[in-house]
Amino acid sequence: MEKLLELDRLTKVFTLGSVISRVRITATDSVSFYIKPAEIFALAGESGCGKTTVARMILGFEEPTSGAIFYNGKKGTKNEKVWFTEGIQAIFQDPFGTFNPLRTVDRYFFETVQNYKLAGSKEEAIRLIDEKLRAVGLSYEEFSGKYPNEFSGGQLQRISIARALLTNPTLLIADEPVSMVDASLRMSIVNLFKKLKEELGVSVLYITHDLATAYYVSDRIAIMFRGNIVEMGPVEKVLMEPKHPYTKLLRESIPEADPNKRWDTVITLADTEYEEYLRAGCKFAGRCPDVMDRCKDEVPPDIYVDGVLVKCHKYAGE
Amino acid sequence: MKVLRDLFRDYRFALSFCVLCLLLVLAVLTIFSPYDPTLWGVVPRDLKPSREYLLGTNSKGQDVFWQATFAVRNSLVISVIAGTVSRVIAVLVGMVAGYKGRLTDRVLMFVSDSLLVIPLFLIIVMLAMLIRDKMNLVTLGLLLAFFGWAWDARVIRSQILSLREREFTQTAILSGTGTLRLVLNEYMPFATPLVFSTLINNMSWAIGMEMTLAVLGLVNLDIPTLGTMLQWAISYQAMLLGYWWWIATPVVLAVFLFVALYWLSVSISEYLDPRTRIQRVGV
Amino acid sequence: MNQTILRTEKLKAFYVLDVLGTRKVVKAVNEVDLEIRENEIYGIAGESGCGKTTLLKTLYAAIEPPLRLIGGKVYYRVNGEEVEVSSLSREEKRKLRWEYVSYVPQGSMSVLNPVIRLKETFRDFLDSHVSGKTKDEAFAIAREHIAALGLPQKILDAYPHQLSGGMRQRVTIALAALLKPRIIIADEPTTALDVVVQRGVVQLLKDIQQNLRNTIVLVTHDMGVQANIADRIGIMYAGKMVEEATTEGIFGDPLHPYTRYLINSLPRFGDKTTRESVPGSPPSLINLPSGCPFHPRCPYALEICKEQMPGFVKLDNNHKVACWLVGEGGNGKAS
Ligand SMILES: Nc1ncnc2c1ncn2[C@@H]1O[C@H](COP(=O)(O)OP(=O)(O)O)[C@@H](O)[C@H]1O
Ligand SMILES: Nc1ncnc2c1ncn2[C@@H]1O[C@H](COP(=O)(O)OP(=O)(O)O)[C@@H](O)[C@H]1O
Ligand SMILES: [Mg+2]
Ligand SMILES: [Mg+2]
């Protein structure tokens, strides 16, 4: 099987606090997964569970504590980010933060073209930029010479995707690309990922806490909780028949657009994420409705159930 | 010039701009001065302001008006040297420390912190005493410049530190932009308002510092500046003897200069404030 | 049916900006008629920039330049009597705030003083409205209140920055409910929170409403949240209310094309068929399109939509809509 990107036991430890009260947080704990060409892979979980850390390590903005990243079979090393900017591009959470508010947006496009020598002349550059903008439903005329605040959040997010597409990347890292975009405009972004996958064969690492859009757009999904992948597999299986209690909780927490299906159960929320990070056994034990004794001090094993990876004691045989 | 037109809407800017222009005209007038400002006894002593001697004459036999033109010019030269040189140092140190981080940051910030904690005034006084013989406009300007950058470098550094965490930094990196261009293109626009407003503040600080040093007699008293003019007037007991025009001229000019520079800095920094700037480029 | 507690008449609030000599008017709230009742959760939904926050500010009588009340009135029903809010003195308004009506602003950090512990903030709140409480009594009330809402008590000893965004949001809501106000106005309390925390916030709001039997005006653009919590929903577009109905009415029988887009664009589990966003982008409130502001994005636009704004007409069972396509849309006098 061909793997476009593979993470092998990627671990990142952050040390927080002063010398006296030092806390070590394993923001990602031996995270392994792969992404195939022309595939949308979702990484889901609530905030503070290490999703952004994974993305930043792939993009080279953060150095992993241990583990390795392979792009097209080649290992990325500290000094040689072979894959880095041409093959992998990224779009970010806050569309208004993606571009410098004091500069016109088109400057980033021309800089990308120039830095990667994508065009020989200004006309060629404009043609290329226009082509990418049209792929996201905009055009060069309605964009040139404007500042970020002259666009809506949805437009900016599409502009951001267009910029990422300039280098013809094979993989887009999208870190919560719709969480700050209006619900009514979300689908235009998400549909764009589908289109890019189908028409251009681009893979997407779709990072989100919204399982509904993850279900809609992705092929496979990994559910992350406090640095660990707790469930991973085809999206139909993971989300339609969730196995890990955390996946179930996430799944139920999506408000359904149907007034007859209101939440009737009460949930407990984490007091602080650090307490959960520092738990010895299963990190979810504090909130799990099915908690057992051994969950509290034994780290659950990775188990394959029905083609889905689950990290939970419930599924461990005796 | 759209920028100037926008700025002139602010009455503070318009007023202070006019005052500064007048002072500049004074400075330029030095070219036409009929007297050499360093010579004594070129006119009758101690005359009241009159048609012939607009601001009277002093006990050294100099025309106060023409002395004042030289004083304004020289004080401005010192402050411009001190202001620009210290801005250049502040921007360089702040940006390099903020972006490079690690050891570079620590060394540079140690230097700037040292400058911040030592009693600046005493050091400047001591150095001024040491190089008193070689003191001229340029050396005095550079001396003041060397002590005027530390705080602003710190502010610029912390600004860069927070900008580095903003997502557009990552967008720029993903666009293949190198470090130098990134700092200049992305961060400089945020630092310019600070640089401008502190430039002007720094200039007034330099003028004030020069006056203090002059009154203490620590500069070359042969070069007419606002400070030395005042120093001479004081040492000749101008006040006691009722030669108010001699002492009032440098004081009034200095006050005008300070107020004009202050208003200029306030209105310019308001204009350049990223927040109002964003509003302005908006919809 | 419950009595009306908060009512507006042709409310108009514009931002009047002077951008370097040129006057710009942002028509953020444009002739809005609302009747919000006692003991209900009234949801307001719409795209960002359509004027939801501005509407809430006028409802809370927190109008500050550049925002200006151009026309219309806001009425509260206080102790059975209707009062017109703009006629109140500053002192009278201050007394109503937090005790009668409280406001949880967007982002909401601004309510919490960053340099004091949360219990001090709670005490300040009590002090400013209920006099003669000792420090310990005040802390006890705060603790009781926090516990009743199911929040951990130890947060009272924390500073705001030590809490996560979701916890801060819930503390702000708890604070807003402290003096048992009859109306709580909440601006996007669930936006930018992740789904689990969002559910916690919804749970908290529902609890408060059930305990106090008061009115909550809840703004959020997330229709899923609206479906889960609201009793009635108003849909806002470009400064105007375009549809209002019970939650069942809005979701079961959406009439305005914009409302239909809002609902149909939501992804659902078990259904991967393509969903479309509202086409086009929101109009500029400085330069509104003629007629119905939605017509440039509306696939069903008629000639008349380009010329005249439809009236906000009441159909049967209290469903109101402003659209030329619907029922006797043309009946309502265009304004
Ligand atoms: N640079 C950093 N220094 C210290 N801790 C960090 C840093 N970045 C992230 N963390 C911590 O790591 C955890 C995971 O964070 P993050 O990857 O941002 O989660 P997510 O994107 O899922 O919300 C959090 O507890 C966060 O506080
Ligand atoms: N302080 C302000 N000055 C000028 N315009 C503003 C101000 N606040 C909001 N606006 C404008 O008013 C409109 C409505 O804004 P708002 O009420 O915040 O919308 P929403 O809450 O629905 O996102 C927007 O077009 C916005 O740009
Ligand atoms: Mg994140
Ligand atoms: Mg708002």
Side-chain angles (χ1 to χ4, degrees):
Chain A
M1 183 178 27
E2 209 186 336
K3 292 172 183 171
L4 182 63
L5 179 86
E6 185 172 12
L7 310 192
D8 182 27
R9 284 165 291 165
L10 209 57
T11 301
K12 177 78 196 178
V13 179
F14 286 116
T15 313
L16 303 172
S18 57
V19 190
I20 318 143
S21 62
R22 184 161 284 187
V23 199
R24 285 161 60 85
I25 288 203
T26 315
T28 68
D29 188 358
S30 279
V31 166
S32 306
F33 64 81
Y34 61 88
I35 300 175
K36 292 184 274 191
E39 177 185 54
I40 300 184
F41 183 87
L43 186 61
E46 65 194 277
S47 62
C49 70
K51 307 183 298 293
T52 299
T53 307
V54 170
R56 287 175 59 89
M57 285 192 288
I58 296 174
L59 291 169
F61 295 142
E62 203 91 66
E63 217 36 68
T65 310
S66 67
I69 303 171
F70 300 87
Y71 175 65
N72 274 333
K74 260 185 283 179
K75 183 169 167 177
T77 59
K78 191 171 176 179
N79 298 319
E80 199 192 349
K81 297 259 158 52
V82 264
W83 69 81
F84 185 19
T85 32
E86 267 190 87
I88 304 185
Q89 280 285 344
I91 54 180
F92 304 106
Q93 176 170 18
D94 178 4
F96 293 96
T98 305
F99 300 103
N100 190 329
L102 300 179
R103 304 181 73 210
T104 55
V105 174
D106 50 5
R107 301 273 293 271
Y108 290 92
F109 283 70
F110 286 108
E111 275 166 24
T112 310
V113 171
Q114 202 183 356
N115 292 332
Y116 293 106
K117 305 199 174 47
L118 301 170
S121 64
K122 174 129 196 208
E123 290 72 50
E124 212 182 312
I126 292 180
R127 206 163 340 110
L128 179 72
I129 292 169
D130 190 51
E131 177 198 319
K132 301 300 180 192
L133 283 167
R134 286 192 188 279
V136 301
L138 294 161
S139 71
Y140 184 75
E141 289 81 54
E142 57 180 317
F143 133 106
S144 76
K146 287 191 181 166
Y147 288 88
N149 69 325
E150 295 176 65
F151 297 99
S152 71
Q155 276 175 324
L156 274 181
Q157 207 57 301
R158 282 184 285 149
I159 291 174
S160 170
I161 295 174
R163 191 211 58 80
L165 290 178
L166 280 175
T167 59
N168 294 319
T170 49
L171 175 64
L172 275 185
I173 312 282
D175 190 357
E176 310 231 15
V178 296
S179 74
M180 292 177 84
V181 175
D182 254 40
S184 62
L185 296 173
R186 275 184 195 165
M187 295 321 278
S188 69
I189 309 285
V190 175
N191 283 335
L192 202 53
F193 291 144
K194 268 194 166 167
K195 186 178 137 196
L196 294 178
K197 178 186 93 167
E198 279 153 19
E199 291 176 10
L200 303 173
V202 176
S203 298
V204 182
L205 173 60
Y206 178 60
I207 297 179
T208 185
H209 62 245
D210 176 8
L211 293 190
T213 53
Y215 174 82
Y216 174 77
V217 65
S218 53
D219 303 306
R220 287 186 307 130
I221 188 169
I223 309 285
M224 222 175 150
F225 185 72
R226 303 296 174 227
N228 293 287
I229 289 184
V230 294
E231 187 163 353
M232 177 158 66
V235 74
E236 284 286 341
K237 283 211 175 127
V238 173
L239 294 182
M240 296 316 283
E241 311 148 25
K243 298 190 174 56
H244 197 284
Y246 179 65
T247 315
K248 285 183 194 158
L249 171 72
L250 269 186
R251 168 77 172 73
E252 279 168 18
S253 298
I254 305 291
E256 294 246 9
D258 183 345
N260 302 317
K261 289 192 200 155
R262 295 191 168 185
W263 294 314
D264 41 18
T265 50
V266 173
I267 54 160
T268 11
L269 293 178
D271 291 355
T272 70
E273 59 191 52
Y274 298 124
E275 273 172 27
E276 292 190 321
Y277 265 115
L278 299 176
R279 267 181 188 281
C282 174
K283 314 264 186 221
F284 191 53
R287 288 194 265 159
C288 183
D290 306 333
V291 65
M292 297 178 282
D293 282 342
R294 63 175 154 167
C295 298
K296 294 192 174 129
D297 33 47
E298 268 176 63
V299 176
D302 290 349
I303 305 155
Y304 279 91
V305 185
D306 185 22
V308 172
L309 177 135
V310 191
K311 194 180 182 67
C312 179
H313 284 301
K314 257 171 79 178
Y315 299 91
E318 289 318 306
Chain B
M1 285 289 280
K2 191 171 164 302
V3 180
L4 273 182
R5 215 177 48 228
D6 288 351
L7 272 169
F8 268 106
R9 277 176 219 283
D10 189 341
Y11 73 94
R12 291 171 307 187
F13 181 84
L15 218 74
S16 51
F17 189 82
C18 291
V19 171
L20 274 186
C21 279
L22 274 178
L23 291 171
L24 273 180
V25 168
L26 274 188
V28 170
L29 276 184
T30 50
I31 306 169
F32 307 108
S33 169
Y35 317 107
D36 182 339
T38 52
L39 294 182
W40 294 34
V42 289
V43 290
R45 288 159 208 271
D46 304 334
L47 293 181
K48 278 207 171 76
S50 64
R51 191 163 304 159
E52 201 179 352
Y53 306 107
L54 277 177
L55 292 173
T57 64
N58 64 19
S59 312
K60 289 159 70 193
Q62 294 164 323
D63 182 315
V64 173
F65 174 79
W66 292 106
Q67 279 286 311
T69 58
F70 280 99
V72 167
R73 186 195 74 178
N74 292 343
S75 283
L76 280 177
V77 167
I78 293 172
S79 69
V80 167
I81 292 177
T84 39
V85 173
S86 67
R87 280 331 74 191
V88 171
I89 304 179
V91 168
L92 281 180
V93 170
M95 297 226 163
V96 170
Y99 196 80
K100 283 267 178 224
R102 293 166 197 268
L103 189 66
T104 326
D105 181 27
R106 258 180 281 156
V107 171
L108 289 174
M109 283 306 108
F110 176 76
V111 175
S112 86
D113 284 347
S114 315
L115 282 179
L116 283 177
V117 292
I118 55 171
L120 256 195
F121 183 68
L122 286 184
I123 299 281
I124 292 180
V125 166
M126 269 160 56
L127 279 174
M129 274 155 89
L130 277 180
I131 57 167
R132 197 159 159 193
D133 302 336
K134 298 192 195 69
M135 195 69 103
N136 58 29
L137 296 181
V138 178
T139 43
L140 183 58
L142 289 180
L143 176 72
L144 293 176
F146 184 71
F147 289 96
W149 57 268
W151 179 255
D152 306 313
R154 243 189 186 281
V155 177
I156 291 175
R157 168 185 170 270
S158 63
Q159 214 174 15
I160 302 290
L161 280 183
S162 80
L163 289 172
R164 224 174 54 167
E165 297 304 314
R166 299 266 290 266
E167 281 173 349
F168 62 74
T169 303
Q170 301 180 7
T171 309
I173 295 174
L174 290 173
S175 302
T177 305
T179 307
L180 184 67
R181 287 255 308 280
L182 196 151
V183 170
L184 287 182
N185 290 344
E186 303 282 334
Y187 300 161
M188 207 46 202
F190 287 90
T192 32
L194 184 86
V195 170
F196 268 96
S197 70
T198 56
L199 167 70
I200 295 167
N201 290 340
N202 201 265
M203 281 171 62
S204 24
W205 173 78
I207 294 170
M209 207 62 198
E210 189 275 329
M211 290 182 79
T212 322
L213 290 178
V215 169
L216 293 177
L218 293 173
V219 297
N220 185 345
L221 294 178
D222 292 336
I223 304 173
T225 65
L226 290 176
T228 51
M229 243 182 121
L230 194 62
Q231 152 73 11
W232 283 114
I234 293 170
S235 61
Y236 271 77
Q237 313 269 338
M239 195 66 127
L240 206 67
L241 299 172
Y243 307 143
W244 53 266
W245 54 91
W246 188 6
I247 208 156
T249 303
V251 169
V252 169
L253 283 174
V255 167
F256 268 108
L257 202 52
F258 283 134
V259 172
L261 286 175
Y262 175 71
W263 272 4
L264 206 63
S265 106
V266 171
S267 57
I268 289 184
S269 63
E270 227 164 73
Y271 177 80
L272 288 175
D273 183 335
R275 269 164 304 174
T276 53
R277 238 161 118 196
I278 289 163
Q279 251 179 30
R280 208 168 36 242
V281 293
V283 233
Chain C
M1 196 166 68
N2 288 312
Q3 258 195 324
T4 303
I5 186 162
L6 177 59
R7 189 164 70 83
T8 69
E9 262 173 22
K10 293 247 171 292
L11 196 61
K12 266 187 176 182
F14 298 168
Y15 292 95
V16 182
L17 307 173
D18 177 27
V19 185
L20 298 166
T22 43
R23 218 170 99 108
K24 286 185 176 168
V25 179
V26 184
K27 299 190 175 117
V29 174
N30 203 349
E31 309 211 344
V32 170
D33 289 315
L34 283 179
E35 280 183 21
I36 298 173
R37 303 177 194 141
E38 272 172 7
N39 195 13
E40 77 167 349
I41 299 185
Y42 186 88
I44 298 175
E47 287 170 291
S48 60
C50 74
K52 303 181 299 293
T53 301
T54 314
L55 176 60
L56 294 193
K57 281 189 205 155
T58 47
L59 291 184
Y60 189 59
I63 296 176
E64 275 167 14
L67 182 61
R68 279 203 228 156
L69 189 64
I70 302 292
K73 299 210 158 73
V74 180
Y75 299 96
Y76 294 163
R77 178 178 291 278
V78 186
N79 304 327
E81 254 180 81
E82 211 163 54
V83 292
E84 206 258 301
V85 175
S86 65
S87 70
L88 295 177
S89 69
R90 193 173 265 254
E91 177 58 25
E92 283 171 312
K93 268 191 219 165
R94 197 196 66 84
K95 266 190 79 74
L96 285 181
R97 295 212 170 140
W98 301 111
E99 260 180 282
Y100 177 77
V101 51
S102 60
Y103 178 44
V104 184
Q106 196 164 356
S108 84
M109 261 307 272
S110 50
V111 179
L112 305 177
N113 183 341
V115 298
I116 58 177
R117 289 180 199 277
L118 286 169
K119 60 180 179 189
E120 301 288 346
T121 304
F122 271 84
R123 186 164 70 97
D124 288 351
F125 251 70
L126 282 169
D127 271 357
S128 64
H129 286 270
V130 195
S131 50
K133 287 263 187 298
T134 66
K135 199 168 172 169
D136 286 333
E137 275 175 328
F139 288 160
I141 293 175
R143 254 199 308 281
E144 218 171 279
H145 181 69
I146 284 286
L149 295 175
L151 299 177
Q153 303 215 355
K154 60 174 181 244
I155 59 166
L156 284 173
D157 291 314
Y159 290 95
H161 71 265
Q162 293 173 319
L163 306 179
S164 65
M167 184 59 86
R168 273 200 301 258
Q169 187 63 267
R170 285 184 294 151
V171 169
T172 319
I173 293 171
L175 202 57
L178 182 65
L179 300 167
K180 306 195 176 9
R182 298 313 306 155
I183 306 171
I184 296 177
I185 296 173
D187 194 2
E188 311 259 11
T190 61
T191 307
L193 299 179
D194 65 58
V195 284
V196 182
V197 181
Q198 174 175 305
R199 184 172 166 190
V201 169
V202 167
Q203 200 170 289
L204 179 68
L205 284 169
K206 273 188 184 169
D207 276 355
I208 289 173
Q209 201 274 333
Q210 266 158 22
N211 289 340
L212 300 179
R213 312 220 132 266
N214 64 354
T215 303
I216 293 183
V217 183
L218 174 74
V219 159
T220 165
H221 63 243
D222 190 331
M223 292 303 282
V225 172
Q226 295 283 12
N228 227 293
I229 182 169
D231 297 315
R232 288 194 308 142
I233 297 176
I235 307 287
M236 203 168 169
Y237 186 81
K240 291 185 177 278
M241 279 289 162
V242 294
E243 184 162 2
E244 182 194 85
T246 57
T247 307
E248 288 75 16
I250 289 281
F251 284 90
D253 183 22
L255 295 174
H256 198 282
Y258 178 64
T259 315
R260 274 191 231 153
Y261 267 118
L262 285 187
I263 293 170
N264 290 336
S265 67
L266 293 169
R268 281 158 215 258
F269 286 107
D271 178 5
K272 278 201 165 198
T273 54
T274 305
R275 307 216 159 249
E276 293 298 338
S277 285
V278 190
S281 33
S284 148
L285 297 185
I286 295 177
N287 221 333
L288 280 174
S290 62
C292 169
F294 190 59
H295 87 256
R297 303 168 79 182
C298 182
Y300 315 106
L302 308 169
E303 260 325 294
I304 191 166
C305 303
K306 297 177 189 159
E307 285 149 22
Q308 275 189 319
M309 176 68 201
F312 196 36
V313 283
K314 196 177 223 168
L315 309 174
D316 48 343
N317 57 31
N318 288 321
H319 201 131
K320 283 190 191 172
V321 64
C323 179
W324 289 113
L325 295 166
V326 180
E328 307 139 81
N331 261 2
K333 212 190 92 49
S335 42

